[in-house]
């Protein structure tokens, strides 16, 4: 029978289903088999031949027929898993049912009355009326998930058979140990099976269905209640799934072993189509969804894999009950870490390679999923985090992240990408080794539209952050706290900043310390505190190599004097705010002398008109995101108790909710009413006005002593050189500063304060909405969730 005929028959069956008002018996195989028996339809065909309106019509008008269709399709998958799919016909039936369920499930999830359907046992179906043993009484969802798991390790269907080709002795699906059938060499598995185009396609289809099962969470509004675990993921990642370990390993290894370059030969991908990429994308998406686990409320695994719980928890197995999270947290061999890190770094760098060798490699599109995966690895496995920071390989992660941040800064549809990049850097910056690694010279020239400079990775980081702050879109303003916190965290370890980076830091101080900016919102002065802390850390702990920064501070000394003499009377405050109306820019564009940008760079472009984006929930402010630790003499950290009275340099005064709108790039409708109070420079003007008392309260705490002392000692000496030698030449002054010392002249060094990221349910919720938004937008062929009634986020056109 021709392909056109089989499509026609399939379409006829769909029409019959929508027109039948009477329930069709589950036993009427002649009717039901039309949906899967002999059709040669691709998943795209199924989406075309089963229109959304018709699925909804059946759901409303003949619900029992929709129920029977789902039940029968699951039954076919269960049968295929039982038999091991030996015949071509069985394989075809399994794929057809899988595509049909992928099409229908979102319409089941969008209707609250139907949502429980898959969690019910189907009464009387295939049973002799009375309840048989428990096996048959499994909820439909569980039968479906277990069947998918079995089918993913089905010899000659999704994995290579280990038997010699002797038709009689097909492997017994129940007897095989799926750990011997892991899809790819890597973590815990040394054998790389020969690539098979068909196996990859079949795995991809089944993973698509699995991801669709997990997507029920998209149809529930965001809630920070972490007890809201996803029942589909919870069951799939439990001990009920005998394939949990080999599947987790297969997904991780397939992603980390993938090389889009085409086995190292440039332009190879133009000759061979790469059938692996769709599998790798789906594997990455399934993996991050199974790892959606809120560690802030659970007894999370610590470095050595034991849980940080009370004595009461001793009976529990170590680590969370989600086996995927548990396995991830227990990876510990150096060679496994090396394999994962190299794989993630290779894939994250792929879009950069693309930029300077155009078309030389296949350009991957799943860098956001990779960033989420990298985040989960660092968050759940502290040994991995320390491994990453131990070598300079961490820079192979840093450079692509800075590239993405710089590239996405003008595009509001990529606000989520900006946030996750910054979160990862915040997490890394809490560890001393990260700051130390940044001193490595930056020699790779990734084409970015930033000034050309000679220096270290720390210079690169500062220059990119400056660019985001001065030329990103408005909505990024609430990220400023995070960006500056990262610089504060690394500052005590930076051995020598370049002149370009030093000037950028002083330009930020200049912009943030203008009176209209300081007085216009309740938290803007925090930015000045952060920058002063950066300067103090460098002067106190790294004075020797930082003559460029010291020179820049001397040149811009008036900024520090203005801060010390900041007016606090009401008239000056009002005058400053009048000036603000004329200058709406959040920060003056830099009129810097470095006009040269890197070769091959293109400026960051705003989103193309018509781009879809999904909204994000708000993320917590920097005081909720981090916890302060003090570094003691021997380099160890101790956690500081939060002060009972918040110093104005941290957190906002009580009763004020900091600006969430811009964090999220979102309309607030995704949040409960009471959280919607927010403070942005527009809406808050009515609620909050700066008072002299308020200015005095934080001005008195500005940490200016060290810098003022430095200026007091060095400025007269520098001026003397200039007069004596008639100098206008910077190099002489720099040479003098290089050999100068301030030992014994500065105040006693302050303790180093690090603000370490701490997990909380706010960020867990943010990751959930971000991740599902990415998955929603990336699955366009077929468009699994498009035009269904999702509630977790809003879809907007830019």
């Amino acid at each position: 029978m021709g392909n056109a005929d089989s499509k026609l028959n399939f379409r006829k069956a769909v029409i019959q289903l929508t027109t039948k008002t009477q329930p069709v018996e589950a036993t009427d195989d002649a009717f039901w088999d039309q949906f899967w028996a002999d059709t040669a339809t691709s998943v795209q065909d199924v989406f075309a031949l089963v229109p959304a309106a018709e699925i909804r019509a059946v759901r409303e008008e003949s619900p029992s027929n929709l129920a029977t269709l789902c039940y029968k399709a699951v039954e076919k998958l269960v049968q295929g898993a039982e038999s091991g799919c030996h015949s071509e016909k069985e394989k075809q039936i399994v794929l057809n049912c899988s595509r049909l369920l992928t099409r229908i499930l979102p319409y089941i999830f969008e209707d609250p009355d139907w949502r429980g359907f898959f969690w019910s046992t189907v009464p009387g179906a295939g049973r002799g009326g009375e309840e048989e043993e428990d096996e048959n009484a499994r909820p439909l969802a569980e039968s479906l998930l277990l069947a998918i798991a079995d089918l993913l390790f089905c010899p000659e269907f999704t994995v290579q058979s280990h038997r010699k080709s002797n038709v009689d002795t097909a492997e017994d699906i129940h007897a095989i140990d799926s750990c011997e059938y892991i899809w790819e060499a890597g973590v815990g598995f040394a054998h790389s099976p020969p690539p098979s185009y068909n196996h990859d396609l079949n795995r991809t289809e089944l993973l698509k269905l699995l991801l669709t099962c997990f997507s029920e969470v998209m149809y529930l509004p965001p809630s920070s209640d972490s007890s809201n675990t996803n029942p589909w993921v919870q069951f799939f990642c439990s001990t009920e799934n005998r394939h949990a370990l080999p599947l987790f390993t297969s997904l991780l290894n397939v992603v980390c072993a993938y090389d889009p370059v085409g086995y190292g030969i440039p332009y190879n991908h133009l000759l061979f189509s790469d059938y692996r990429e769709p599998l790798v994308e789906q594997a990455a998406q399934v993996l991050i969804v199974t790892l959606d686990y809120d560690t802030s409320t659970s007894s999370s695994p610590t470095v050595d894999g034991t849980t940080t719980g009370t004595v009461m928890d001793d009976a529990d197995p170590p680590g969370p009950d989600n086996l995927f999270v548990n396995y991830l947290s227990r990876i510990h061999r150096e060679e496994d870490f090396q394999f994962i890190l190299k794989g993630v770094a290779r894939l994250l760098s792929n879009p950069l390679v693309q930029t300077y060798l155009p078309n030389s490699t296949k350009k991957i599109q799943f860098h956001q999923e990779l960033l989420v995966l990298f985040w989960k690895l660092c968050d759940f496995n502290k040994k991995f985090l320390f491994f990453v920071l131990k070598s300079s390989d961490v820079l192979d992660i840093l450079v692509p992240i800075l590239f993405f941040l710089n590239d996405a800064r003008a595009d509001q549809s990529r606000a989520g990408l900006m946030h996750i990049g910054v979160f990862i850097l915040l997490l890394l910056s809490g560890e001393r080794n990260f700051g130390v690694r940044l001193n490595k010279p930056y020699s790779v020239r990734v084409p970015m539209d930033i000034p050309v400079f000679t220096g270290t990775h720390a210079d690169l980081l500062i220059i990119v952050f400056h660019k985001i702050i001065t030329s990103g879109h408005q909505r990024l303003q609430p990220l400023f706290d995070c960006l500056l916190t990262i610089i504060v965290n690394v500052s005590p370890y930076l051995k020598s900043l370049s002149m370009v980076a030093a000037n950028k830091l002083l330009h930020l101080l200049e912009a943030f310390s203008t009176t209209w900016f300081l007085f216009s919102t309740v938290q803007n002065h925090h930015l000045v505190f952060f920058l002063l802390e950066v300067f103090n850390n460098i002067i106190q702990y790294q004075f020797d190599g930082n003559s460029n920064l010291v020179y820049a501070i001397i040149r811009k000394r008036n900024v520090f004097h203005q801060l010390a003499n900041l007016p606090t009377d009401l008239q000056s405050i009002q005058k400053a705010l009048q000036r603000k109306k004329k200058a709406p820019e959040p920060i003056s564009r830099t009129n810097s002398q470095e006009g040269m940008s890197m070769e091959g760079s293109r400026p960051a472009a705003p989103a193309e008109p018509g781009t879809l984006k999904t909204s994000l929930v708000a993320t917590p402010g920097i005081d909720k995101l981090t916890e302060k630790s003090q570094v003691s003499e021997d380099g160890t950290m101790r956690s500081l108790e939060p002060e009972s009275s918040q110093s104005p340099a941290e957190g906002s005064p009580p009763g004020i909710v900091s600006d969430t709108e811009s964090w999220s790039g979102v309309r607030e409708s995704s949040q409960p009413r009471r959280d919607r109070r927010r403070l942005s420079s527009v809406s808050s003007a009515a609620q909050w006005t700066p008072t002299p008392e308020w200015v005095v309260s934080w001005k008195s705490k500005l940490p200016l002593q060290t810098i003022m002392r430095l200026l007091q000692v060095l400025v007269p000496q520098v001026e003397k050189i200039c007069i004596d030698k008639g100098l206008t030449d910077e190099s002489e002054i720099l040479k003098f500063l290089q050999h100068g010392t301030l030992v014994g002249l500065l105040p006693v060094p302050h303790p180093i304060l690090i603000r370490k990221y701490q997990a909380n349910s706010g960020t867990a919720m943010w990751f959930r909405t971000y991740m599902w938004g990415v998955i929603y937008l990336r699955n366009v062929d077929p468009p699994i969730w498009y035009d269904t009634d999702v509630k977790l986020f809003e879809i907007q056109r830019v």
Side-chain angles (χ1 to χ4, degrees):
M1 181 166 75
N3 194 11
D5 292 342
S6 72
K7 280 189 201 171
L8 191 63
N9 289 351
F10 178 72
R11 179 69 191 128
K12 277 187 190 152
V14 174
I15 292 169
Q16 282 178 314
L17 187 69
T18 48
T19 50
K20 283 192 193 295
T21 44
Q22 292 306 308
V24 182
E25 285 301 320
T27 48
D28 183 354
D29 287 336
F31 176 74
W32 298 111
D33 283 349
Q34 305 174 91
F35 288 95
W36 38 74
D38 50 18
T39 42
T41 47
S42 66
V43 68
Q44 286 78 6
D45 293 334
V46 171
F47 271 67
L49 298 170
V50 187
E54 294 181 18
I55 304 173
R56 289 190 175 115
V58 176
R59 189 182 69 192
E60 307 310 322
E61 284 143 39
S62 38
S64 75
N65 285 344
L66 183 59
T68 308
L69 180 68
C70 291
Y71 163 71
K72 296 293 283 187
V74 173
E75 186 181 56
K76 287 292 172 197
L77 290 179
V78 171
Q79 284 167 5
E82 289 284 309
S83 72
C85 274
H86 296 306
S87 68
E88 283 309 309
K89 186 173 163 70
E90 280 179 294
K91 291 174 186 167
Q92 197 55 61
I93 288 177
V94 162
L95 290 172
N96 287 334
C97 290
S98 174
R99 291 160 186 163
L100 192 61
L101 286 167
T102 302
R103 178 60 170 144
I104 292 171
L105 276 168
Y107 297 92
I108 302 267
F109 296 153
E110 72 175 4
D111 185 334
D113 296 337
W114 273 86
R115 226 167 271 148
F117 169 69
F118 270 82
W119 293 97
S120 59
T121 49
V122 178
R127 294 198 200 103
E130 77 281 25
E131 286 296 286
E132 291 174 37
E133 75 248 57
D134 289 348
E135 186 48 35
N136 287 340
R138 269 200 186 284
L140 206 50
E142 294 186 6
S143 306
L144 172 56
L145 290 170
L146 293 176
I148 296 172
D150 279 338
L151 288 164
L152 286 167
F153 292 99
C154 197
E156 294 307 322
F157 181 50
T158 48
V159 292
Q160 206 75 32
S161 171
H162 291 183
R163 288 286 166 90
K164 295 290 166 276
S165 55
N166 179 354
V167 187
D168 304 339
T169 56
E171 284 154 287
D172 174 12
I173 189 95
H174 301 287
I176 70 170
D177 172 6
S178 46
C179 284
E180 294 171 13
Y181 290 87
I182 287 170
W183 300 350
E184 186 62 68
V187 175
F189 193 67
H191 165 69
S192 197
S196 158
Y197 177 64
N198 277 331
H199 294 171
D200 276 6
L201 288 181
N202 296 340
R203 293 164 178 173
T204 306
E205 299 256 16
L206 288 164
L207 291 179
K208 226 185 256 309
L209 172 58
L210 190 56
L211 196 60
T212 308
C213 291
F214 293 160
S215 70
E216 182 180 19
V217 60
M218 277 200 216
Y219 298 90
L220 305 168
S223 100
S224 51
D225 176 15
S226 55
S227 60
N228 256 358
T229 43
N230 182 331
W232 295 85
V233 171
Q234 196 176 9
F235 179 79
F236 192 79
C237 298
S238 74
T239 47
E240 296 266 359
N241 178 359
R242 71 188 180 102
H243 303 292
L245 179 60
L247 189 63
F248 168 76
T249 312
S250 294
L251 296 172
L252 184 62
N253 291 355
V254 156
V255 172
C256 295
Y258 177 56
D259 181 2
V261 174
Y263 310 106
I265 307 163
Y267 301 101
N268 204 15
H269 69 289
L270 300 175
L271 304 177
F272 304 101
S273 77
D274 178 0
Y275 54 85
R276 189 99 288 199
E277 190 186 21
L279 173 66
V280 176
E281 287 195 359
Q282 296 280 239
Q285 291 174 3
V286 168
L287 199 50
I288 60 178
V289 170
T290 54
L291 296 170
D292 177 18
Y293 189 82
D294 181 359
T295 46
S296 63
T297 53
S298 63
S299 55
S300 56
T302 51
V303 181
D304 57 356
T306 53
T307 50
T308 49
T310 58
V311 190
M312 307 298 286
D313 296 337
D314 284 352
D316 288 344
D321 47 6
N322 173 325
L323 290 180
F324 279 40
V325 174
N326 205 333
Y327 297 144
L328 184 73
S329 69
R330 292 204 207 168
I331 298 172
H332 60 275
R333 296 187 331 183
E334 293 260 321
E335 59 267 41
D336 289 341
F337 287 157
Q338 190 59 39
F339 166 74
I340 294 172
L341 181 57
K342 280 274 182 274
V344 173
R346 179 193 325 113
L347 291 170
L348 285 178
S349 309
N350 160 275
L352 288 56
V353 177
Q354 260 306 105
T355 321
Y356 49 70
L357 271 183
N359 302 325
S360 61
T361 59
K362 191 179 173 72
K363 187 166 186 180
I364 63 156
Q365 302 294 331
F366 56 99
H367 48 276
Q368 299 192 85
E369 292 93 319
L370 286 164
L371 290 172
V372 175
L373 178 60
F374 183 76
W375 169 269
K376 299 279 180 198
L377 281 155
C378 293
D379 197 20
F380 295 156
N381 191 322
K382 288 296 169 266
K383 282 184 176 164
F384 176 75
L385 177 62
F386 299 140
F387 175 84
V388 169
L389 292 168
K390 203 170 62 178
S391 74
S392 50
D393 289 349
V394 65
L395 303 175
D396 297 337
I397 300 285
L398 170 74
V399 171
I401 289 178
L402 292 176
F403 173 85
F404 294 134
L405 291 179
N406 186 54
D407 190 50
R409 68 179 193 275
D411 177 350
Q412 52 163 320
S413 73
R414 291 197 279 167
L417 172 63
M418 299 290 295
H419 281 70
I420 186 170
V422 172
F423 282 156
I424 289 174
L425 298 182
L426 179 65
L427 180 71
L428 295 174
S429 74
E431 307 299 332
R432 173 181 177 275
N433 264 350
F434 182 64
V436 174
R437 295 286 158 249
L438 290 178
N439 290 308
K440 188 176 174 181
Y442 173 68
S443 49
V444 258
R445 286 281 173 249
V446 173
M448 291 158 112
D449 60 324
I450 54 171
V452 176
F453 70 97
T454 303
T456 65
H457 284 77
D459 295 310
L460 177 69
L461 178 126
I462 288 168
I463 292 166
V464 169
F465 283 11
H466 174 270
K467 192 94 178 179
I468 294 168
I469 291 171
T470 55
S471 66
H473 62 82
Q474 282 295 152
R475 286 240 163 97
L476 296 177
Q477 236 174 313
L479 269 182
F480 293 1
D481 273 354
C482 251
L483 294 167
L484 294 187
T485 298
I486 293 165
I487 300 179
V488 173
N489 281 348
V490 301
S491 59
Y493 313 110
L494 303 183
K495 294 197 183 332
S496 69
L497 287 185
S498 69
M499 191 58 95
V500 175
N503 285 335
K504 296 298 182 200
L505 286 175
L506 281 141
H507 175 248
L508 289 179
L509 182 70
E510 222 175 344
F512 289 150
S513 58
T514 57
T515 47
W516 70 256
F517 185 77
L518 282 175
F519 298 158
S520 60
T521 79
V522 77
Q523 65 269 36
N524 281 351
H525 63 275
H526 299 174
L527 301 171
V528 169
F529 276 82
F530 285 138
L531 285 164
L532 291 175
E533 203 176 325
V534 169
F535 298 141
N536 287 338
N537 281 343
I538 294 179
I539 292 166
Q540 291 279 20
Y541 292 98
Q542 299 290 350
F543 180 79
D544 288 352
N546 274 297
S547 51
N548 286 328
L549 183 69
V550 174
Y551 179 60
I553 289 173
I554 291 173
R555 278 186 48 221
K556 292 285 183 188
R557 55 190 179 275
N558 62 324
V559 180
F560 300 98
H561 291 301
Q562 281 165 5
L563 269 174
N565 300 314
L566 191 72
T568 56
D569 60 291
L570 196 56
Q571 197 183 359
S572 306
I573 293 173
Q574 285 167 343
K575 206 157 134 197
L577 292 175
Q578 285 307 308
R579 225 170 309 152
K580 176 176 196 301
K581 293 199 175 73
K582 300 192 192 75
E585 259 326 307
I587 178 165
S588 58
R589 290 279 187 265
T590 165
N591 48 357
S592 66
Q593 53 301 346
E594 320 108 2
M596 286 289 293
S597 265
M598 295 197 181
E599 204 180 336
S601 64
R602 295 183 312 277
E608 296 279 311
T611 304
L612 286 184
K613 68 172 187 140
T614 54
S615 63
L616 293 164
V617 294
T619 55
I622 194 73
D623 48 327
K624 299 274 189 306
L625 265 180
T626 55
E627 165 181 82
K628 285 202 278 190
S629 314
Q630 200 166 313
V631 181
S632 41
E633 294 300 304
D634 58 358
T636 54
M637 300 237 186
R638 72 188 178 83
S639 207
L640 294 181
E641 289 307 308
E643 302 131 43
S644 47
S645 63
Q646 254 184 336
S647 78
E650 305 306 322
S652 324
I656 303 247
V657 175
S658 64
D659 176 334
T660 57
E661 178 185 13
S662 25
W663 257 112
S664 37
V666 180
R667 302 213 296 273
E668 266 73 32
S669 54
S670 58
Q671 287 158 279
R673 264 279 179 284
R674 63 176 185 284
D675 293 346
R676 276 199 221 171
R677 284 178 306 156
R678 67 171 201 286
L679 189 96
S680 71
S681 39
V682 191
S683 62
S684 59
Q687 313 153 14
W688 177 83
T689 44
T691 62
E693 297 75 32
W694 171 77
V695 178
V696 169
S697 74
W698 55 260
K699 179 189 167 182
S700 60
K701 297 196 176 75
L702 282 168
L704 287 165
Q705 306 76 341
T706 302
I707 294 172
M708 290 311 197
R709 185 80 187 111
L710 172 137
L711 293 172
Q712 203 181 346
V713 175
L714 293 179
V715 169
Q717 299 181 0
V718 169
E719 283 175 342
K720 186 172 182 324
I721 296 177
C722 294
I723 294 165
D724 290 357
K725 306 202 175 170
L727 272 186
T728 49
D729 181 18
E730 289 189 354
S731 60
E732 284 286 326
I733 299 170
L734 283 168
K735 203 173 295 173
F736 163 73
L737 292 173
Q738 265 157 17
H739 300 300
T741 171
L742 292 175
V743 175
L745 296 173
L746 292 179
V748 180
H750 55 287
I752 297 177
L753 270 188
I754 300 289
R755 293 171 183 79
K756 288 172 81 93
Y757 167 81
Q758 55 169 4
N760 59 58
S761 44
T763 43
M765 190 61 231
W766 184 88
F767 272 95
R768 184 171 307 148
T769 54
Y770 169 60
M771 168 182 81
W772 278 111
V774 168
I775 291 171
Y776 176 98
L777 294 174
R778 297 259 296 110
N779 283 274
V780 288
D781 181 27
I784 302 181
W785 301 281
Y786 186 67
D787 268 352
T788 59
D789 189 15
V790 295
K791 295 275 195 294
L792 185 62
F793 42 75
E794 293 173 14
I795 294 103
Q796 300 146 351
R797 276 188 191 283
V798 175

